[in-house]
Amino acid sequence: MRYTDFTPYDLLLLAKGLGVTIGLFLATSLIGLVIGVLWGVIRYYRVPFLTPLITFISEILKNSPVLVQLFLVFFGFPAFFHLNVTPVQAAVVTLSANTAAFIYVIAVAAIESVGRDQIEAARVFGLTRWQVLRHVIAPQAGAFSVGPLTALLVNQLQVTSLISVIGVMDLAKIGANLNLRTLKPFIVWAVVGLLYYLTAKLVAAMGERFEKRLRAHSEFRGL
Amino acid sequence: MRLDLTILTPYLGFLGQGALLTAVICVLSLAGAVILGMLVAIARTSATPWVRRLAFAYVDLFRNIPFIVQLFFFYYGLPEIGLYIDAITTGVVALSIAGGAYASDAIRSGILAIDNGILEAAEVSGLSKRVTFTRIVLPIALRTSVRPLGSVLINMILTSSILSTITVNELTGQAKIVASDTFRPFEVYAVLLIVYAALTWLVSIGIGRLHHRLNRDLMAEVT
């Protein structure tokens, strides 16, 4: 018996792949968000040495291919530091760092979007730098960054497909396996592409909804 | 665990070949993307609704599906319908189509930014629709969208690394060979990361200069 045709089990495989993709996407986005915001806060406090270092790292991560970053972590780190790195670990490390670099840029822009006069006024009222950040900057910067963040996340979802190259069983890898087995590239890649497309649309729609809710207070409600 | 970059010196010429191929691929794909982007931008600003919708569907689809999936779709799919083209051509085609989706957005916003007065002046002067478009709208739109088109190019340089997965030996592909030759993946990929970052940095400086030069008559009004 040759398994060259599509079987119902393939749907399960695709669902599993989609699950891995979405799971890694959510995990790395969350880690990236925490690290990126942390970097933004470090810049806000103008920590010497650390701020230029972070800016440099973020520039390097933004301006180099994710594939090379993946290879560096997956092939380079084990050889150099004598560690064991599994494909999933390498994927999590690379994607988190890459997302953090982009979120750092958004965080910096968001913090700078808050007017200087507000910060000065808050300082005059005797708020500490932390209180200014927490109560004056954070709410406004958060609202500001929802739009760019959604665009970034839609992009990062597509970037996750690269981890299939180092052997993580995500949606793209399942697609590659199905393609090799069935030799029907048009159907396989169209279905995989459609699944990615729908997921991206879902992320975009959720971001839009969230942004709408945040902006609801400033919208014209009618007389 | 000692960083020794000298082992790379015998491979510099080899890596240079890869960099050259990357440059050639990117230049060809940029040309393809700009031509395609122009056509799609025309379609997206067309007065006929179904043309607009079709163009939007193309942009939406190719921006929301991971490039690696698109690439595999073409690479494995085209031979299926009897089109046998080599990996490099496939890569250029895929990059052009994906880049075209992004380029069309840049050019479209350039077209939409054109002052209505200019179009009315052209109409009053008795220029036909076609002449107005090719001689007035496109030059202005392309000139003002140099910067966004530049970021499309930078993205293309980074994305072209993915072509190494379909056996194209551009910079990343060559580096993979060097890494398996020397057993020093860390050094190879770390250097590659810096090379890509430097390359895109240089390109972005060049784009800034070009933008200034092309828009020098507009700058005078601003400053």
Side-chain angles (χ1 to χ4, degrees):
Chain A
M1 189 171 162
R2 290 174 60 223
Y3 292 99
T4 51
D5 274 335
F6 289 109
T7 61
Y9 183 65
D10 293 344
L11 291 176
L12 195 67
L13 276 180
L14 281 172
K16 256 173 130 178
L18 188 65
V20 170
T21 291
I22 293 177
L24 276 174
F25 164 69
L26 288 178
T28 56
S29 298
L30 209 64
I31 301 172
L33 187 68
V34 171
I35 297 175
V37 169
L38 204 68
W39 286 356
V41 171
I42 288 175
R43 198 189 125 103
Y44 167 76
Y45 278 106
R46 294 202 203 95
V47 181
F49 306 115
L50 223 50
T51 308
L53 182 73
I54 286 169
T55 312
F56 178 74
I57 292 175
S58 143
E59 280 301 313
I60 291 277
L61 285 175
K62 277 190 315 168
N63 287 312
S64 60
V66 181
L67 199 60
V68 177
Q69 295 166 18
L70 270 175
F71 286 164
L72 182 68
V73 174
F74 186 59
F75 298 119
F77 280 16
F80 195 70
F81 300 113
H82 301 290
L83 313 153
N84 277 323
V85 178
T86 65
V88 175
Q89 284 167 351
V92 169
V93 169
T94 314
L95 292 177
S96 303
N98 190 61
T99 310
F102 284 98
I103 284 180
Y104 169 66
V105 177
I106 295 177
V108 168
I111 290 175
E112 277 170 6
S113 76
V114 179
R116 257 258 46 93
D117 41 354
Q118 284 189 42
I119 297 168
E120 276 159 13
R123 291 286 281 163
V124 168
F125 274 108
L127 269 66
T128 61
R129 266 186 91 76
W130 168 251
Q131 283 173 322
V132 172
L133 185 68
R134 171 72 189 79
H135 296 289
V136 180
I137 295 178
Q140 300 182 62
F144 171 89
S145 52
V146 172
L149 213 56
T150 310
L152 174 71
L153 288 185
V154 170
N155 205 24
Q156 290 305 108
L157 173 69
Q158 297 174 39
V159 169
T160 59
S161 66
L162 293 179
I163 58 178
S164 63
V165 176
I166 58 165
V168 179
M169 278 294 171
D170 74 332
L171 188 51
K173 187 74 187 172
I174 298 288
N177 286 354
L178 285 181
N179 177 35
L180 285 177
R181 206 194 70 211
T182 60
L183 299 176
K184 290 195 178 72
F186 271 127
I187 302 172
V188 169
W189 291 118
V191 168
V192 170
L194 185 73
L195 286 175
Y196 271 113
Y197 177 83
L198 292 177
T199 315
K201 283 283 139 186
L202 186 71
V203 173
M206 273 158 63
E208 206 171 310
R209 229 184 113 171
F210 187 55
E211 197 178 2
K212 225 177 188 167
R213 265 184 57 190
L214 279 182
R215 293 201 187 288
H217 69 92
S218 59
E219 240 166 50
F220 183 66
R221 271 180 225 152
L223 292 169
Chain B
M1 185 153 159
R2 204 166 48 83
L3 195 67
D4 182 16
L5 294 178
T6 51
I7 47 141
L8 290 180
T9 37
Y11 296 96
L12 281 182
F14 189 70
L15 288 171
Q17 282 173 14
L20 199 65
L21 186 60
T22 294
V24 170
I25 287 174
C26 286
V27 168
L28 287 177
S29 310
L30 182 71
V34 169
I35 292 170
L36 197 63
M38 248 169 4
L39 295 175
V40 175
I42 293 169
R44 282 196 70 185
T45 49
S46 142
T48 330
W50 70 267
V51 173
R52 252 192 343 248
R53 243 174 271 144
L54 196 70
F56 176 74
Y58 157 74
V59 173
D60 195 39
L61 215 57
F62 281 90
R63 284 183 68 146
N64 283 311
I65 293 177
F67 180 71
I68 198 167
V69 173
Q70 298 173 25
L71 189 66
F72 286 164
F73 182 80
F74 289 121
Y75 184 64
Y76 294 110
L78 287 182
E80 189 94 330
I81 55 167
L83 262 175
Y84 293 96
I85 51 176
D86 63 341
I88 295 180
T89 319
T90 312
V92 171
V93 168
L95 265 179
S96 302
I97 293 177
Y102 288 94
S104 79
D105 258 8
I107 298 171
R108 188 179 85 106
S109 56
I111 291 177
L112 292 181
I114 289 174
D115 192 5
N116 258 333
I118 296 175
L119 299 181
E120 280 162 13
E123 211 179 330
V124 168
S125 309
L127 297 179
S128 70
K129 260 196 158 167
R130 198 176 59 80
V131 173
T132 310
F133 203 87
T134 53
R135 292 297 170 87
I136 293 172
V137 172
L138 267 190
I140 299 177
L142 283 180
R143 197 170 61 171
T144 49
S145 53
V146 165
R147 226 181 258 274
L149 282 179
S151 48
V152 172
L153 173 64
I154 288 175
N155 248 326
M156 206 171 255
I157 295 174
L158 300 183
T159 313
S160 70
S161 69
I162 298 174
L163 299 192
S164 66
T165 57
I166 59 160
T167 72
V168 178
N169 281 332
E170 38 68 79
L171 191 50
T172 307
Q174 298 285 75
K176 262 160 90 176
I177 297 171
V178 174
S180 48
D181 254 22
T182 56
F183 294 111
R184 292 296 189 95
F186 185 81
E187 282 87 344
V188 173
Y189 292 127
V191 167
L192 193 61
L193 215 66
I194 306 289
V195 167
Y196 267 109
L199 212 64
T200 50
W201 180 65
L202 284 177
V203 168
S204 71
I205 287 179
I207 290 158
R209 289 243 174 105
L210 186 69
H211 175 85
H212 260 272
R213 170 130 191 83
L214 289 178
N215 295 302
R216 59 192 182 284
D217 47 339
L218 296 176
M219 296 292 168
E221 294 165 24
V222 180
T223 48

